[in-house]
Amino acid sequence: MPGRLEEEALPRRDFLGLAGLWAAAVAVVGSIAGMMRLPMPSVLPEGGHRFRVGRPEELPAGTEQVLPEQKVLLSSTPEGIAAISLVCTHLGCIVARTENGFACPCHGSVFANDGRVIGGPAPSGLKWLEVSQAIDGRLVVNGGRQVESGSYFKV
Ligand code: FES
């Protein structure tokens, strides 16, 4: 142990000053890393894929069907059949069907019945997906191909 008159290897004041500088540097680097990560989504929607659903006659006009595994709502109207993605366009949470449209449980985005954004942080409306019919007569939804909102598949 050094005596009072002996010089310490690293004086206490210098040590505290260096420790403070390192703590400030770590805080600045951590803050910058956090800010750079902000624009990136925490949840990424799955890549699209084609899947078969039922026959058109199983989905009469005026009815709809939620396909939870595919995260899609099938909606049958007099204009035709539409498939609307249930993946929120904000950060990829799954929206819930409500009486007047869709609501995202994560950050409160609200969508109209046709998927338009009517509130919240979502940057765009819910995707409408391509619907076609296979040779066996069953409907096919292409999860990887977006169509214009309001594009119904005519049966
Ligand atoms: S994921 Fe943020 S509002 Fe839906």
Side-chain angles (χ1 to χ4, degrees), residues 118-152:
I118 53 177
S124 58
L126 297 175
K127 290 180 183 171
W128 283 52
L129 305 173
E130 183 186 74
V131 180
S132 58
Q133 195 164 23
I135 293 174
D136 66 1
R138 292 172 65 191
L139 296 167
V140 177
V141 176
N142 188 345
R145 184 167 290 171
Q146 187 175 351
V147 295
E148 206 167 294
S149 171
S151 305
Y152 291 93

Coordinates of all heavy atoms in Angstrom, one line a residue, residues 118-152:
I118 N -57.2 4.3 -41.2 CA -58.0 5.4 -40.8 C -57.5 5.9 -39.4 O -58.0 6.9 -38.8 CB -59.5 5.1 -40.7 CG1 -59.8 3.8 -39.9 CG2 -60.1 5.0 -42.1 CD1 -61.2 3.5 -39.8
G119 N -56.4 5.3 -38.9 CA -55.8 5.8 -37.7 C -54.6 5.0 -37.3 O -54.5 3.9 -37.7
G120 N -53.7 5.7 -36.5 CA -52.5 5.0 -36.0 C -51.3 5.1 -36.9 O -51.3 5.8 -37.9
P121 N -50.2 4.4 -36.5 CA -49.0 4.6 -37.2 C -48.8 3.9 -38.5 O -47.7 4.0 -39.1 CB -48.0 4.2 -36.1 CG -48.7 3.1 -35.3 CD -50.1 3.6 -35.3
A122 N -49.7 3.0 -38.8 CA -49.5 2.2 -40.0 C -49.3 3.1 -41.3 O -50.0 4.0 -41.5 CB -50.7 1.3 -40.3
P123 N -48.2 2.9 -42.0 CA -47.9 3.8 -43.2 C -48.8 3.5 -44.4 O -48.9 4.4 -45.3 CB -46.5 3.4 -43.5 CG -46.3 2.0 -43.0 CD -47.2 1.8 -41.9
S124 N -49.4 2.4 -44.5 CA -50.3 2.1 -45.7 C -51.3 1.1 -45.3 O -51.3 0.5 -44.2 CB -49.4 1.5 -46.8 OG -48.7 0.4 -46.4
G125 N -52.3 0.9 -46.2 CA -53.4 0.0 -45.9 C -53.0 -1.4 -45.9 O -51.9 -1.8 -46.4
L126 N -54.0 -2.3 -45.5 CA -53.7 -3.7 -45.6 C -53.7 -4.1 -47.0 O -54.4 -3.6 -47.9 CB -54.9 -4.4 -44.8 CG -55.0 -4.1 -43.3 CD1 -56.2 -4.8 -42.8 CD2 -53.8 -4.5 -42.6
K127 N -52.8 -5.1 -47.3 CA -52.6 -5.6 -48.7 C -53.8 -6.4 -49.1 O -54.2 -7.3 -48.4 CB -51.3 -6.4 -48.8 CG -50.1 -5.6 -48.6 CD -48.9 -6.5 -48.7 CE -47.6 -5.8 -48.5 NZ -46.5 -6.6 -48.3
W128 N -54.2 -6.2 -50.4 CA -55.1 -7.1 -51.0 C -54.3 -8.0 -51.8 O -53.3 -7.6 -52.5 CB -56.0 -6.3 -52.0 CG -57.1 -5.5 -51.2 CD1 -57.0 -4.7 -50.2 CD2 -58.5 -5.6 -51.5 NE1 -58.2 -4.2 -49.8 CE2 -59.2 -4.7 -50.6 CE3 -59.3 -6.3 -52.5 CZ2 -60.5 -4.6 -50.6 CZ3 -60.7 -6.1 -52.5 CH2 -61.3 -5.2 -51.6
L129 N -54.6 -9.3 -51.7 CA -53.8 -10.4 -52.4 C -54.5 -10.9 -53.6 O -55.8 -11.0 -53.6 CB -53.5 -11.5 -51.4 CG -52.8 -11.0 -50.1 CD1 -52.7 -12.1 -49.1 CD2 -51.4 -10.4 -50.4
E130 N -53.8 -11.4 -54.5 CA -54.3 -12.0 -55.8 C -55.1 -13.2 -55.5 O -54.6 -14.1 -54.7 CB -53.2 -12.3 -56.7 CG -53.7 -12.8 -58.1 CD -52.5 -13.2 -58.9 OE1 -52.0 -14.3 -58.7 OE2 -52.2 -12.5 -59.9
V131 N -56.3 -13.3 -56.0 CA -57.1 -14.5 -55.9 C -57.3 -15.1 -57.3 O -57.6 -14.3 -58.2 CB -58.5 -14.2 -55.2 CG1 -59.3 -15.5 -55.1 CG2 -58.3 -13.6 -53.9
S132 N -57.2 -16.4 -57.5 CA -57.5 -17.0 -58.8 C -58.2 -18.3 -58.5 O -58.5 -18.6 -57.3 CB -56.2 -17.2 -59.5 OG -55.3 -18.0 -58.8
Q133 N -58.4 -19.1 -59.5 CA -59.1 -20.4 -59.4 C -58.3 -21.5 -60.0 O -57.8 -21.3 -61.2 CB -60.5 -20.3 -60.0 CG -61.4 -21.4 -59.6 CD -62.9 -21.1 -60.0 OE1 -63.1 -20.3 -60.9 NE2 -63.8 -21.7 -59.3
A134 N -58.1 -22.5 -59.3 CA -57.3 -23.7 -59.8 C -58.1 -24.5 -60.7 O -59.4 -24.3 -60.8 CB -56.8 -24.5 -58.6
I135 N -57.5 -25.4 -61.4 CA -58.2 -26.3 -62.4 C -59.3 -27.1 -61.6 O -60.4 -27.4 -62.2 CB -57.2 -27.2 -63.1 CG1 -56.3 -26.3 -64.0 CG2 -57.9 -28.3 -63.9 CD1 -55.2 -27.1 -64.7
D136 N -59.0 -27.5 -60.4 CA -60.0 -28.3 -59.7 C -61.2 -27.4 -59.1 O -62.0 -27.9 -58.4 CB -59.3 -29.0 -58.5 CG -58.8 -28.1 -57.4 OD1 -58.9 -26.9 -57.6 OD2 -58.2 -28.6 -56.5
G137 N -61.2 -26.1 -59.4 CA -62.3 -25.3 -59.1 C -62.1 -24.6 -57.7 O -62.9 -23.7 -57.4
R138 N -61.0 -24.9 -57.0 CA -60.8 -24.3 -55.7 C -60.1 -22.9 -55.9 O -59.4 -22.7 -56.9 CB -60.0 -25.2 -54.8 CG -60.7 -26.4 -54.4 CD -59.9 -27.4 -53.7 NE -59.4 -26.9 -52.4 CZ -58.5 -27.4 -51.7 NH1 -57.9 -28.5 -52.1 NH2 -58.1 -26.9 -50.5
L139 N -60.4 -22.0 -55.0 CA -59.8 -20.7 -55.1 C -58.4 -20.8 -54.6 O -58.0 -21.6 -53.7 CB -60.6 -19.7 -54.2 CG -62.0 -19.4 -54.6 CD1 -62.8 -18.7 -53.5 CD2 -62.0 -18.6 -55.9
V140 N -57.5 -20.0 -55.2 CA -56.1 -19.9 -54.8 C -55.7 -18.5 -54.5 O -56.1 -17.6 -55.2 CB -55.2 -20.4 -56.0 CG1 -53.7 -20.3 -55.6 CG2 -55.5 -21.8 -56.4
V141 N -55.1 -18.3 -53.3 CA -54.7 -17.0 -52.9 C -53.1 -17.0 -53.0 O -52.5 -17.9 -52.6 CB -55.1 -16.7 -51.4 CG1 -54.5 -15.4 -51.0 CG2 -56.6 -16.7 -51.2
N142 N -52.7 -15.9 -53.7 CA -51.2 -15.8 -53.9 C -50.7 -14.7 -52.8 O -50.9 -13.5 -53.1 CB -50.9 -15.3 -55.3 CG -49.4 -15.3 -55.6 OD1 -48.6 -15.4 -54.6 ND2 -49.0 -15.3 -56.8
G143 N -50.2 -15.2 -51.7 CA -49.8 -14.3 -50.7 C -48.6 -13.4 -51.1 O -48.3 -12.5 -50.4
G144 N -47.9 -13.8 -52.2 CA -46.8 -13.0 -52.6 C -47.1 -11.9 -53.6 O -46.2 -11.2 -54.1
R145 N -48.4 -11.9 -54.1 CA -48.7 -10.9 -55.1 C -49.8 -10.0 -54.7 O -51.0 -10.4 -54.4 CB -49.1 -11.7 -56.4 CG -49.4 -10.7 -57.5 CD -49.5 -11.3 -58.8 NE -48.2 -11.8 -59.3 CZ -48.0 -12.6 -60.3 NH1 -49.1 -13.0 -61.0 NH2 -46.8 -13.0 -60.7
Q146 N -49.5 -8.8 -54.5 CA -50.5 -7.8 -54.1 C -51.2 -7.2 -55.3 O -50.7 -7.1 -56.4 CB -49.7 -6.6 -53.4 CG -50.6 -5.6 -52.8 CD -49.9 -4.5 -52.0 OE1 -48.7 -4.6 -51.8 NE2 -50.6 -3.5 -51.5
V147 N -52.5 -7.0 -55.1 CA -53.3 -6.4 -56.2 C -53.9 -5.1 -55.6 O -53.8 -4.8 -54.4 CB -54.5 -7.4 -56.6 CG1 -53.9 -8.6 -57.3 CG2 -55.4 -7.7 -55.4
E148 N -54.4 -4.3 -56.5 CA -55.0 -3.0 -56.1 C -56.2 -3.2 -55.2 O -57.0 -4.1 -55.4 CB -55.4 -2.2 -57.4 CG -55.3 -0.8 -57.1 CD -55.5 0.0 -58.5 OE1 -54.5 -0.2 -59.3 OE2 -56.5 0.6 -58.7
S149 N -56.2 -2.4 -54.2 CA -57.4 -2.4 -53.3 C -58.7 -2.3 -54.1 O -58.8 -1.5 -55.0 CB -57.3 -1.3 -52.3 OG -58.4 -1.2 -51.5
G150 N -59.6 -3.2 -53.8 CA -60.9 -3.1 -54.5 C -60.9 -4.1 -55.7 O -61.9 -4.1 -56.5
S151 N -59.9 -4.9 -55.9 CA -59.8 -5.8 -57.0 C -60.4 -7.2 -56.6 O -59.8 -7.9 -55.8 CB -58.4 -6.1 -57.5 OG -57.7 -4.9 -57.8
Y152 N -61.6 -7.4 -57.0 CA -62.3 -8.7 -56.7 C -62.1 -9.7 -57.7 O -62.1 -9.4 -58.9 CB -63.8 -8.4 -56.5 CG -64.1 -7.6 -55.2 CD1 -64.2 -6.2 -55.3 CD2 -64.2 -8.2 -54.0 CE1 -64.5 -5.4 -54.2 CE2 -64.5 -7.4 -52.9 CZ -64.6 -6.0 -53.0 OH -64.9 -5.3 -51.9

